[in-house]
Every structure is written in C-alpha cells, then in structure tokens.
Amino acid sequence: MVSKKGKRKLIFSDRVFYWFVRKDSSGIPKIHILSEDKKINLLYSLFDRDVPVVPAYVVQLLKKYFNEQ
C-alpha cells in the first residue's frame, strides 16, 4: 500500500495510481508515478519547469509507458 500523504490519486485503465512532483538532490523537479500495489514505479524529469503538471499530463505518461510494454 502506498502512503497517500502529499500524493494525488489517479485512476487509469481501472487501476489506481498515485503521483507527485519532488525535486531531486540537484533541484530538478521529477514526476513520480506509483501503482497502488507498488509494482509500477515511474520517474520522469520535467522538460519545462514553468508548465504546471496536471492529471492529463500524467495520463499521457502512463499511456506512453503502457504502449511501450
């Protein structure tokens, strides 16, 4: 089970995912996406720091991930 504190919930293909944005040790923001069962743990760098991350963008990342599988 994923700790939900500070994370946003998203349902994609009837599966629950949690996502959040945190800066790494270099100060670069990264998008973290976790499946509820923790079997999927994705990490993406933001290409544009000035654009806010919205659920639709996270859905695009998940679609890309599942299309590549």
Side-chain angles (χ1 to χ4, degrees):
M1 189 60 125
V2 174
S3 170
K4 297 171 183 91
K5 186 174 182 179
K7 296 173 182 72
R8 292 176 175 88
K9 182 177 178 179
L10 176 76
I11 298 175
F12 177 79
S13 294
D14 296 326
R15 292 179 68 182
V16 176
F17 291 89
Y18 294 94
W19 65 277
F20 56 97
V21 178
R22 295 262 160 69
K23 292 181 180 179
D24 66 8
S25 58
S26 303
I28 299 170
K30 306 272 185 175
I31 301 171
H32 300 259
I33 304 172
L34 303 166
S35 62
E36 190 168 41
D37 60 7
K38 295 184 181 178
K39 290 184 179 179
I40 297 174
N41 185 354
L42 307 174
L43 180 65
Y44 294 97
S45 295
L46 291 176
F47 70 92
D48 187 351
R49 294 181 189 185
D50 296 329
V51 177
V53 178
V54 294
Y57 182 64
V58 177
V59 167
Q60 286 179 346
L61 293 174
L62 286 168
K63 284 180 182 177
K64 179 180 174 186
Y65 170 77
F66 284 108
N67 284 337
E68 292 174 355
Q69 295 300 310

